């Protein structure tokens, strides 16, 4: 229930921030703080997470679009570069199966035209994905950690005082997950994360 309420709040927050941010792209650029912290969320694409292999055929199972809570910390390294970290979390259900997944990454962000009002950037972060998979019918669960990658692009611009906005497009990839269960008819193959997210965050300079 709490997660659903948070999801509805995130649905309202992301488009609201986009509507507020775009008219402010023409505002003068701000001097970036050495440390910045960001909080927001994103909407992800669907994710084909499992393939069932049977003697009579294979069947794919997918999660739909997900709302992802997002936290980031940025440490300025030079005029155009920064150390970038991210921490994302989402929950999803499909039939009797559910997953809660966290992604933690650290890497580099490269900005372009830092003197401009809105600064586009590219980022790449090696990441770790930790997922807890559960099957309510069979009453079993498994927790696993897999290596992965987060890469994307976006734009950062002024919003109000020390607060900036960050609009981003990110790709998420991870290695495959161990099978939650095998049945007497066939076996389950759990795919790694492979999805895109469109996000909006508020950035505060420390």
């Amino acid at each position: 229930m709490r997660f659903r309420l948070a999801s509805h709040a995130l649905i309202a927050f992301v488009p609201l921030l986009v509507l507020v941010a775009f008219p402010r792209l023409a505002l003068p650029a701000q001097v970036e703080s050495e440390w910045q912290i960001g909080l927001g969320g994103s909407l992800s694409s669907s994710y084909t997470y499992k393939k069932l292999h049977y003697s009579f055929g294979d069947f794919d199972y997918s999660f739909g679009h997900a709302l992802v809570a997002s936290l980031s910390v940025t440490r300025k390294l030079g005029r155009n570069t920064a150390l970038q970290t991210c921490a994302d979390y989402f929950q999803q259900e499909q039939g009797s199966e559910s997953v809660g997944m966290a992604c933690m990454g650290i890497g580099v962000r490269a900005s372009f035209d830092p003197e401009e009002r809105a600064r586009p950037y590219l980022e790449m972060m090696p990441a770790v994905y930790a997922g807890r998979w559960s099957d309510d019918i069979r009453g079993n669960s498994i927790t696993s950690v897999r290596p992965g990658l987060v890469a994307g692009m976006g734009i950062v611009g002024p919003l109000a005082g020390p607060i900036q906005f960050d609009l981003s497009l990110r790709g998420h990839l991870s290695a495959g997950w161990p099978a939650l269960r095998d049945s007497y008819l066939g076996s389950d193959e759990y795919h790694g994360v492979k999805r895109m997210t469109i996000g909006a965050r508020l950035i505060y300079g420390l």
Side-chain angles (χ1 to χ4, degrees):
M1 182 64 178
R2 291 180 179 177
F3 181 76
R4 289 181 180 178
L5 290 175
S7 298
H8 292 318
L10 186 58
I11 290 174
F13 167 77
V14 172
L16 180 61
L17 180 57
V18 172
L19 289 174
V20 173
F22 270 107
R24 304 182 69 84
L25 291 177
L27 291 178
Q30 296 176 330
V31 177
E32 285 191 328
S33 302
E34 187 174 5
W35 287 91
Q36 295 177 324
I37 185 168
L39 182 63
S42 57
L43 178 66
S44 78
S45 62
S46 59
Y47 163 34
T48 301
Y49 71 97
K50 181 175 69 172
K51 182 184 290 290
L52 267 63
H53 300 282
Y54 295 121
S55 58
F56 48 84
D58 297 337
F59 300 88
D60 289 325
Y61 285 74
S62 299
F63 289 127
H65 301 292
L67 293 169
V68 183
S70 179
L71 174 70
S72 66
V73 176
T74 306
R75 168 66 160 84
K76 190 174 181 181
L77 298 177
R79 186 169 182 268
N80 298 330
T81 59
L83 180 69
Q84 180 68 30
T85 67
C86 72
D88 298 339
Y89 181 79
F90 71 88
Q91 291 180 335
Q92 285 191 278
E93 296 181 359
Q94 171 64 34
S96 65
E97 292 185 331
S98 62
V99 62
M101 189 177 299
C103 167
M104 291 154 284
I106 181 170
V108 176
R109 170 181 287 191
S111 300
F112 301 93
D113 298 325
E115 302 303 326
E116 295 295 327
R117 292 169 174 82
R119 298 176 302 282
Y121 65 82
L122 297 174
E123 61 185 7
M124 181 172 292
M125 294 170 280
V128 173
Y129 290 79
R132 180 171 178 79
W133 300 79
S134 301
D135 188 325
D136 294 335
I137 292 180
R138 295 178 178 265
N140 60 343
S141 63
I142 186 172
T143 301
S144 182
V145 177
R146 287 293 184 266
L149 181 70
V150 178
M153 59 184 178
I155 187 169
V156 175
L159 192 61
I163 301 176
Q164 302 181 77
F165 68 87
D166 180 357
L167 305 178
S168 66
L169 175 66
R170 285 175 172 173
H172 295 256
L173 296 171
S174 82
W177 302 93
L180 181 60
R181 61 182 172 85
D182 285 338
S183 70
Y184 64 91
L185 291 175
S187 61
D188 298 351
E189 177 188 356
Y190 282 75
H191 302 304
V193 175
K194 186 178 181 181
R195 67 196 321 176
M196 301 293 295
T197 60
I198 299 176
R201 280 169 289 278
L202 292 176
I203 307 296
Y204 183 79
L206 301 177

